[in-house]
């Protein structure tokens, strides 16, 4: 297996609230023979607040990251965060328009590249690694673990921009986890919104929407939920206590990043998966499933 | 005054179309966007009605609504519009126009976004604790999310210090040029 290098954009949450996603993503990529090269001196993409103020401002912030990747000799960036991905893709697409490119370059005081593509790590595992290689890397399948795969809004949407998987019924994460020997449950709320960034300004909205996702996972007797987005994870895991308080529920549902479950099936050590960083302790669930 | 009696401001429709690159006339009010919108329960104007009011040139009614500030940009409306209208992009553009015109109907949402961007401008990367503090200073809501702090600190998820970036001045430059220029 040859090592294939790819530019890697962790995003700000990867250095803070979703460190375990960043850690486990890198570990699993390496285990599968890929080499994530962190974009040098990358900056925050501005997430939703930037595109809610102005599209060119947002494109310039992500344009700088694309330019940094290009300087390192890359033409493909992968990121675990769907919101970062949307911004990277929007920046490239905006730069295809001559008029917009001039405005963006003026803001950047640099060139926003038109030839640096970006994909999610979910897409990277699906299309560049493939299910066969994932299956080969599994050393301890987890058949007693029932997992609901929750993709969130942005992983596959808007379809014309993301160009990956099905916008209404995505299967890529289900297929990857099934290849890891995990039982995936058909989950009807795969792409429903968790409340996104309303957690701080409008907590009532977030607890209601995240509550619905936990209700459904629990009704389907899932042991845990797997996610691919730092914000979804924060709303379902860290805010699970707020959801319980607001809705008088008593959930203790572990919310894993899908890469943590891949890493478990591949026998990677705990320190590379950061399971202890999850707010809802996953150990009882893993013990019940006979994993540890 | 009922909507029908307000004057039809055609420049509003033209501006929304130009800035979003979308053809508003293609909306035939099927209601698919509203049916899928997860925030509809909290909206004062459903998203399909926003589309209709833009067609009718109702600048004031649209720019002063709460919905455009609450929208999560979840893209469900865009993914489901039978006429391929990028509805979420239109809502984004309406939010830009509302902000420029001095509306802030959901004050906390605006304060959160402003704190977020202030942190990025200052450090180049997001400093989550800085955003929380900035947000609380802007809104006077000192206890927001304080219940989460012990868990976040215990799990090493809340860094006290911001990350240092060599290119922090480059990022600040982007914001400065943006603030100097006239952008739409
Ligand atoms: S993008 Fe906004 S308006 Fe559209 S469905 Fe999502 S929350 Fe509703
Ligand atoms: S889904 Fe499209 S056509 Fe239907 S009401 Fe919404 S914007 Fe109009």
């Amino acid at each position: 297996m040859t090592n294939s290098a790819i530019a890697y954009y962790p995003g700000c949450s990867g250095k803070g609230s979703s460190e375990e996603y960043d850690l486990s993503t890198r570990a699993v990529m390496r285990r599968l023979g890929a080499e994530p090269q962190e974009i040098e001196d990358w900056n925050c993409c501005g997430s939703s607040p930037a595109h809610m103020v102005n599209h060119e401002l947002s494109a310039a912030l992500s344009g700088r990251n694309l330019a940094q990747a290009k300087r390192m000799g890359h033409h493909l960036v992968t990121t675990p965060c769907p919101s970062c991905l949307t911004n990277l893709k929007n920046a490239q697409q905006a730069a295809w328009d001559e008029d917009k490119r001039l405005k963006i370059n003026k803001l950047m005081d640099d060139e926003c590249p038109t030839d640096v593509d970006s994909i999610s790590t979910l897409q990277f595992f699906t299309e560049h690694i493939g299910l066969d290689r994932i299956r080969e890397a599994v050393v301890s399948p987890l058949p007693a673990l029932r997992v609901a795969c929750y993709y969130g809004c942005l992983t596959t949407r808007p379809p014309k921009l993301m160009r990956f998987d099905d916008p209404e019924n995505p299967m890529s994460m289900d297929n990857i986890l099934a290849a890891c020997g995990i039982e995936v449950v058909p989950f009807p709320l795969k792409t429903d919104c968790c409340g996104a960034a309303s957690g701080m300004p409008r907590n009532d909205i977030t607890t209601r929407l995240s509550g619905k996702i936990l209700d459904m996972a629990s009704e389907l007797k899932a042991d845990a939920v797997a996610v691919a987005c730092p914000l979804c994870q924060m709303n379902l895991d860290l805010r699970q206590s707020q959801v319980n308080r607001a809705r008088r529920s008593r959930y203790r549902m572990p919310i894993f990043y899908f890469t943590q479950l891949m890493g478990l099936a591949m026998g990677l050590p705990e320190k590379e998966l950061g399971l202890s960083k999850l707010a809802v302790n996953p150990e009882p669930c893993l013990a019940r499933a006979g994993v540890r | 005054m009922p909507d029908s009696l307000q004057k039809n401001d055609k420049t509003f429709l033209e501006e929304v179309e130009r800035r979003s690159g979308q053809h508003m006339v293609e909306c035939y009010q099927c209601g698919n966007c509203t049916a899928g919108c997860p925030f509809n329960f909290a909206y004062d104007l459903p998203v399909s009605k926003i589309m209709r009011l833009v067609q009718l040139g109702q600048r004031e009614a649209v720019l002063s609504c709460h919905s455009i500030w609450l929208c999560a940009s979840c893209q469900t409306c865009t993914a489901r519009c039978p006429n391929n209208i990028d509805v979420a992009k239109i809502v984004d553009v309406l939010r830009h126009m509302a902000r420029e015109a001095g509306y802030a109907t959901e004050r906390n949402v605006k304060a959160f976004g402003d704190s977020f961007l202030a942190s990025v401008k200052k450090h180049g990367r997001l400093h989550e604790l800085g955003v929380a503090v900035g947000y609380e200073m802007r809104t006077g809501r000192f206890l927001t999310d304080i219940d989460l702090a012990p868990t976040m600190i215990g799990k090493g998820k809340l860094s006290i210090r911001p990350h240092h970036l060599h290119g922090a001045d480059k990022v600040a430059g982007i914001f400065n040029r943006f603030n100097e220029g006239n952008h739409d």
Side-chain angles (χ1 to χ4, degrees), chain A residues 12-13 15-20 38-57 60-61 64 86 100 103 105-109 153-154 157-160 167-168 191-193 195-205 208-209 212 233-234 237-239 241-242 245 257 275-281, chain B residues 19-20 38-39 41-42 66 68-76 78-80 84-86 89 92-93 95-97 99-100 106 108-110 112-114 116-117 120 124-128 131-132 135-136 141 144-148 151-152 155-159 163-168 170-171 173-179 182-184:
Chain A
C12 297
S13 56
K15 297 288 165 197
S17 56
S18 73
E19 203 181 352
E20 66 272 37
E38 185 168 328
I39 296 178
E40 282 162 17
D41 207 39
W42 55 269
N43 58 275
C44 174
C45 69
S47 193
S48 292
H51 76 68
M52 288 178 182
V53 168
N54 183 280
H55 289 143
E56 275 134 24
L57 172 66
L61 289 169
R64 180 174 176 273
T86 307
K100 288 183 191 156
K103 288 189 189 166
N105 290 352
K106 224 169 132 192
L107 283 182
M108 283 170 66
D109 205 14
C153 315
L154 295 181
R157 298 205 284 232
K160 269 194 268 177
E168 298 291 349
T191 60
D192 275 34
C193 179
S198 305
M200 210 181 278
R202 285 293 303 265
N203 198 260
D204 56 318
I205 295 181
R208 171 168 168 150
L209 296 181
K212 268 168 58 176
Q233 205 278 345
M234 181 186 263
D237 179 44
L238 186 65
R239 293 190 187 279
S241 53
Q242 295 178 341
R245 216 174 310 131
Y257 288 106
L275 292 172
S276 62
K277 287 194 170 278
L278 301 177
V280 176
N281 179 8
Chain B
R19 290 174 66 159
S20 66
F39 279 61
F41 76 92
H66 288 254
I68 54 177
W69 290 94
L70 294 175
C71 164
S73 299
C74 76
Q75 311 289 338
T76 311
T78 295
R80 292 184 185 169
N84 282 315
I85 303 173
D86 192 341
K89 188 168 187 183
D92 228 16
V93 161
R95 198 156 27 199
H96 302 167
M97 291 170 65
R99 183 181 268 273
E100 289 158 11
E106 283 283 328
N108 292 348
V109 173
K110 181 172 184 292
F112 176 75
D114 289 348
F116 191 106
L117 293 179
V120 178
R125 283 185 196 163
L126 181 67
H127 180 224
E128 286 161 325
V131 174
Y135 172 75
E136 277 152 26
R141 294 177 30 149
T144 311
D145 275 354
I146 198 76
D147 54 319
L148 303 180
T151 315
M152 291 194 80
K155 305 273 175 192
K157 288 183 162 202
L158 199 62
S159 52
H163 284 267
H164 180 71
L165 196 66
H166 293 294
K170 297 256 166 37
V171 177
I174 292 174
F175 279 96
N176 289 335
R177 281 183 289 273
F178 172 72
N179 290 333
N182 269 329
H183 288 278
D184 62 23

